[in-house]
Amino acid sequence: VDARNPEFVDVRTLAPDIIVEMRYAGADNFVGRPIAGYDAPVCLLTRDAAAALAAVHEGMRASGRAIKVFDCYRPTRAVADFAAWARDLGDQRTKAEYYPNVDKAQLFELGYIAERSGHSRGSTVDVTIVDRASGAEIDMGTPYDLFDPRSWPSDQSVSADAQANRRALAQAMRTYGFTPLQEEWWHFTLENEPHPRTFFDVPVR
């Protein structure tokens, strides 16, 4: 594998109507600004992961739903940018929205921020479900990227509807080979990912 030129594809080439809202390419995220390495709001994935995600999206068509992606391939320089932000304890601008119940000094210890991310291998996605007609996100109990135990898929404090919606998303993703993460309802990794030990740093553009 050429780490400078991995064979990533834009998921929209396989699913043209999938909704792409790459949060880290803009300022609407827990850092509050565009993140290093995100030069364009494009969902890049390995071809295997892109094909599987396109299949999940297509499978929801009959029920009037669709997939929205928040993050896909993530360069390692972006992960380093997150880590640097987490160490800057003076920057608390996004606390009320993204980590109201967590001390920023504990973000590493609690696993919300890490020095490495599976996203950098190109087969991990952050997604939710939307109503296809309106584009509105269905209720998942918490917003994307809320650093809180309520974001765990197994959390019982969110509404019954939200719990059911989380299960529906996980089941749809599992059907096409994705494995969920126990701490984030939105996070899934292709089980048979093609680059399980390679962390890429090519910018998203």
Side-chain angles (χ1 to χ4, degrees), residues 41 98-100 108 124 137 142 146 173 185 189:
Y98 288 97
Y99 53 106
F108 283 108
T124 293
E137 295 176 23
T142 72
L146 181 72
M173 296 295 284
W185 59 257
T189 298

Side-chain angles (χ1 to χ4, degrees), residues 41-88:
V42 179
C43 172
L44 298 179
L45 291 169
T46 61
R47 184 165 293 280
D48 290 355
L53 186 61
V56 176
H57 176 67
E58 184 60 31
M60 291 187 174
R61 190 176 295 276
S63 62
R65 291 179 165 186
I67 287 289
K68 174 191 276 192
V69 296
F70 294 121
D71 194 34
C72 301
Y73 158 69
R74 180 185 304 167
T76 58
R77 70 190 69 183
V79 180
D81 199 358
F82 290 161
W85 167 83
R87 292 189 187 98
D88 179 5

Side-chain angles (χ1 to χ4, degrees), residues 104-184:
K104 191 177 184 184
Q106 292 186 293
L107 291 178
F108 283 108
E109 178 186 341
L110 296 174
Y112 294 115
I113 300 291
E115 299 288 354
R116 300 184 96 179
S117 170
H119 281 275
S120 300
R121 302 193 299 263
S123 295
T124 293
V125 293
D126 293 342
V127 297
T128 192
I129 299 173
V130 299
D131 176 77
R132 192 177 284 270
S134 68
E137 295 176 23
I138 67 170
D139 179 19
M140 290 295 186
T142 72
Y144 169 62
D145 260 355
L146 181 72
F147 300 158
D148 194 280
R150 288 184 295 132
S151 294
W152 292 29
S154 60
D155 181 76
Q156 304 282 304
S157 69
V158 298
S159 71
D161 282 349
Q163 291 177 50
N165 290 338
R166 291 177 177 188
R167 288 193 297 270
L169 175 60
Q171 182 55 50
M173 296 295 284
R174 280 196 186 97
T175 297
Y176 292 97
F178 288 96
T179 301
L181 183 71
Q182 67 176 10
E183 293 89 4
E184 299 173 347

Side-chain angles (χ1 to χ4, degrees), residues 88-106:
D88 179 5
L89 301 184
D91 181 354
Q92 301 275 340
R93 289 175 297 157
T94 64
K95 179 174 176 59
E97 186 174 359
Y98 288 97
Y99 53 106
N101 302 313
V102 177
D103 186 333
K104 191 177 184 184
Q106 292 186 293

